[in-house]
Amino acid sequence: TITIGKPTLVDIQNFSNLKEDELISILASIEKKSEHPIASAIVNYAQQKNIPVQEISNFESIQGKGLKGVVNGNEYYVGNVKLISDLKINFNNSLIEEFTSQGKTPVIIANKDKVLGFVMVADEIKIESKQAIADLHKLGIKVIMLTGDDEKAARYMATLVGIDEVVAHVLPQDKLIKIKD
């Protein structure tokens, strides 16, 4: 991992009729069931802002894409662009692409019909990462980043530390296959 591993929520975009706190409450309620560092960033943000986390039912993890859960009788999906695409929800990615080009990772919240909003999460690069990659280059080793994250965000982070190649949107179960390749 080239980042510190302590991502924080840095942007909120709300396209719904919900108040921002309500949107974050739903998002944090579902993310609380996940062990992913990005989920922790969202839950921590809600706690810092005293936004309540609610009970959820029918929780489901959608491998490499996101989560699903029912809050107050309504079903919500939380995850990446691939999840929204798989749900066949029309969504203009241009705003997300603007944020990901700055190294931020999107977490989208939607119901079965439309995107309600998204948050952006960012992490800091470890001080040692740039030096470690420079040392690997001195040894003649090509450095490739494998990540489940968005490609633009990953490429941005890779340029900051000198990584040679980025393979993004890799599902956890596919990482070993990519390494063998």
Side-chain angles (χ1 to χ4, degrees):
T1 302
I2 63 167
T3 57
I4 293 169
K6 292 274 184 210
T8 55
L9 193 152
V10 292
D11 292 291
I12 301 168
Q13 299 291 318
N14 184 356
F15 310 128
S16 72
N17 297 328
L18 299 166
K19 291 180 183 151
E20 190 173 281
D21 283 5
E22 293 172 316
L23 190 72
I24 296 297
S25 176
I26 294 164
L27 190 55
S29 299
I30 294 170
E31 289 284 12
K32 191 168 174 68
K33 295 276 190 182
S34 172
E35 294 175 5
H36 197 283
I38 288 176
S40 298
I42 294 166
V43 173
N44 290 342
Y45 179 88
Q47 289 171 341
Q48 290 167 1
K49 300 286 183 186
N50 293 317
I51 298 171
V53 174
Q54 304 169 60
E55 288 297 314
I56 74 161
S57 59
N58 298 344
F59 176 80
E60 185 182 323
S61 178
I62 303 162
Q63 190 74 33
K65 296 174 191 165
L67 311 166
K68 180 173 95 170
V70 175
V71 181
N72 293 327
N74 297 305
E75 187 173 69
Y76 297 98
Y77 296 87
V78 171
N80 59 24
V81 172
K82 180 84 173 105
L83 175 67
I84 301 308
S85 173
D86 287 357
L87 292 169
K88 309 263 189 282
I89 297 173
N90 283 335
F91 180 60
N92 182 346
N93 277 1
S94 59
L95 189 55
I96 283 183
E97 288 177 12
E98 190 180 309
F99 283 110
T100 57
S101 67
Q102 302 163 14
K104 298 173 185 173
T105 299
V107 178
I108 305 168
I109 180 168
N111 59 26
K112 62 180 172 48
D113 301 313
K114 65 180 181 180
V115 169
L116 303 174
F118 63 84
V119 297
M120 284 293 182
V121 176
D123 199 351
E124 292 179 58
I125 290 177
K126 288 180 192 171
I127 295 167
E128 318 79 56
S129 293
K130 194 169 188 173
Q131 185 60 52
I133 291 162
D135 290 347
L136 288 168
H137 284 150
K138 284 179 195 164
L139 296 171
I141 297 171
K142 178 180 178 182
V143 182
I144 302 171
M145 177 198 299
L146 285 181
T147 180
D149 289 343
D150 175 87
E151 187 168 355
K152 278 192 176 179
R155 286 193 186 287
Y156 174 83
M157 298 301 263
T159 59
L160 295 178
V161 294
I163 288 175
D164 302 302
E165 189 179 322
V166 173
V167 181
H169 299 293
V170 183
L171 297 174
Q173 68 269 22
D174 295 337
K175 287 184 178 175
L176 183 58
I177 295 164
K178 296 285 183 189
I179 290 168
K180 286 178 180 175
D181 287 349

